[in-house]
Amino acid sequence: MSTPKTQTEWKLAALAEEVGVSPRTVRYYVQRGLLPAPPFKGPDTVYGEEHRVRLKAIQVLQARFLPLDAIQAELARLSLEELRRLAETPVGPGTLPEEAPRLPPPRRPGKDPTVEVARYQRWLLAPGLELHVSEQAEAKVRALAERVRALIEESQEGTPS
């Protein structure tokens, strides 16, 4: 008696159905860089286990209300094993983002993982224009940021005579 083999390859439609997304969503995630491109093109294109795991991890992160840019950063920093654990996190009614396990802080190659991530001040200079200044920025950098901010304010008030 043989044991059933776990599926490790899917055609686009089968993968989308397995995870509960549309084929168009899978294509979009590949185009956006959230998923790696599958190895083959055309009718013989197959998606692997990593694609399935990443899609499920994306769903968990979306349930935590993360935007796609933040999700892309999380996918890039987590190992495949960490993604598997994340993908197994239950998602659905009654599972609030606050109840979900917290992700560890980002790892920076070659940096001490105990160092805190820098915090930034966000200055809205004009509609559609923001300036982000690190709280750890040197005085010269902060002075430059203040000058840029003053220039924007002057330009909005009109040119002095």
Side-chain angles (χ1 to χ4, degrees):
M1 182 173 203
S2 65
T3 58
K5 186 179 175 189
T6 305
Q7 185 170 353
T8 58
E9 290 186 342
W10 297 265
K11 297 282 187 176
L12 176 60
L15 175 67
E17 184 178 333
E18 166 84 14
V19 178
V21 298
S22 71
R24 183 176 179 181
T25 297
V26 175
R27 282 192 216 98
Y28 175 71
Y29 289 164
V30 169
Q31 177 188 7
R32 186 125 199 279
L34 294 164
L35 295 174
F40 301 103
K41 303 291 183 199
D44 292 330
T45 299
V46 291
Y47 294 80
E49 176 65 14
E50 181 181 358
H51 293 99
R52 187 187 70 78
V53 167
R54 285 177 168 271
L55 283 166
K56 288 188 170 279
I58 289 168
Q59 288 177 321
V60 170
L61 294 171
Q62 284 177 324
R64 296 179 185 176
F65 305 106
L66 289 176
L68 286 180
D69 288 339
I71 290 172
Q72 188 169 10
E74 287 299 307
L75 294 175
R77 76 175 191 81
L78 295 174
S79 69
L80 186 56
E81 191 52 44
E82 290 169 317
L83 286 173
R84 273 196 180 91
R85 284 195 300 273
L86 178 62
E88 293 170 3
T89 304
V91 176
T95 306
L96 298 175
E98 294 80 27
E99 297 171 356
R102 291 273 164 211
L103 295 172
R107 282 183 262 141
R108 295 216 158 80
K111 301 275 184 178
D112 181 357
T114 61
V115 174
E116 279 192 39
V117 175
R119 300 181 76 124
Y120 287 81
Q121 283 184 306
R122 177 179 159 232
W123 295 344
L124 181 60
L125 301 177
L129 179 62
E130 293 181 355
L131 178 62
H132 297 245
V133 181
S134 170
E135 290 179 353
Q136 299 172 350
E138 295 178 12
K140 287 168 55 174
V141 172
R142 295 184 75 68
L144 176 62
E146 288 289 350
R147 286 181 25 208
V148 169
R149 192 160 127 176
L151 280 171
I152 296 289
E153 287 175 5
E154 283 178 24
S155 71
Q156 290 175 341
E157 294 171 2
T159 312
S161 304

